[in-house]
Amino acid sequence: SERYRGELAEEMPELDGLYGKFDWSGIADVLAAGETPARPWERRLSTAPHYTYIKISEGCNRFCAFCAIPLITGRHHSRPMEEIEAEVGTLAAKGVREFNIIAQDLSSYGLDLYGGHRLAQLVDRLADIHGVERIRLHYAYPADFPMDILDVMARRDNVCKYLDIALQHI
């Protein structure tokens, strides 16, 4: 819907609405009937109450021939660590125990904000938050991989000992 909004609206006038990847406020207004969250990352959980997904960055700078992510979501943009920590802390206080850390390219986390890889530092900090029992990492890219995340995975009992790497990346 992000890419073909005009065509979809024309071809399917019976749709109640079209929301693209970046229409957070539009879809949130419809779903929450006007409720406004206090923080930009606050949301209602749509998963079971014990787990959730935490998006730490958006987009990708790799422009692989097989992938449309940079065309759809744009260039890689990391969220600040403090904002992610606040989100995880708030959710852990509400009973969420398992956190799936996701991004189109986890391997690039922090390059834009901090000038270097910061995935290991972020995960280490999240693992310290009271109530966080399990952290899973999704969608690492093997090229320019931040090897220091392996030390965090080995040292931390609440960080799963595997990485989700999409098949096309290998």
Side-chain angles (χ1 to χ4, degrees), residues 29-112:
D29 288 345
V30 171
L31 295 175
E35 292 178 25
T36 304
R39 298 177 192 113
W41 46 261
E42 283 186 322
R43 60 199 163 104
R44 289 187 190 168
L45 290 179
S46 58
T47 58
H50 69 281
Y51 79 94
T52 194
Y53 295 87
I54 303 293
K55 189 107 182 231
I56 65 167
S57 65
E58 186 69 58
C60 184
N61 291 344
R62 297 187 189 274
F63 295 94
C64 301
F66 56 80
C67 184
I69 287 172
L71 301 173
I72 297 168
T73 63
R75 312 261 312 154
H76 183 266
H77 177 74
S78 302
R79 290 176 59 200
M81 275 191 231
E82 297 76 18
E83 181 180 290
I84 297 167
E85 285 179 286
E87 179 179 12
V88 169
T90 298
L91 292 168
K94 292 179 180 178
V96 178
R97 297 293 170 244
E98 299 180 21
F99 295 87
N100 295 285
I101 307 303
I102 61 170
Q104 286 92 6
D105 179 10
L106 281 181
S107 301
S108 294
Y109 177 76
L111 289 173
D112 56 325

Side-chain angles (χ1 to χ4, degrees), residues 92-159:
K94 292 179 180 178
V96 178
R97 297 293 170 244
E98 299 180 21
F99 295 87
N100 295 285
I101 307 303
I102 61 170
Q104 286 92 6
D105 179 10
L106 281 181
S107 301
S108 294
Y109 177 76
L111 289 173
D112 56 325
L113 286 181
Y114 307 110
H117 295 285
R118 293 295 185 270
L119 181 62
Q121 183 181 357
L122 172 66
V123 172
D124 210 24
R125 289 166 67 167
L126 297 179
D128 278 338
I129 296 174
H130 178 73
V132 174
E133 294 178 8
R134 184 166 295 138
I135 296 173
R136 290 187 183 90
L137 303 175
H138 294 278
Y139 317 122
Y141 195 92
D144 196 29
F145 182 78
M147 298 298 282
D148 54 348
I149 191 64
L150 300 177
D151 295 331
V152 175
M153 293 169 81
R155 191 174 71 253
R156 296 299 199 139
D157 290 336
N158 59 350
V159 178

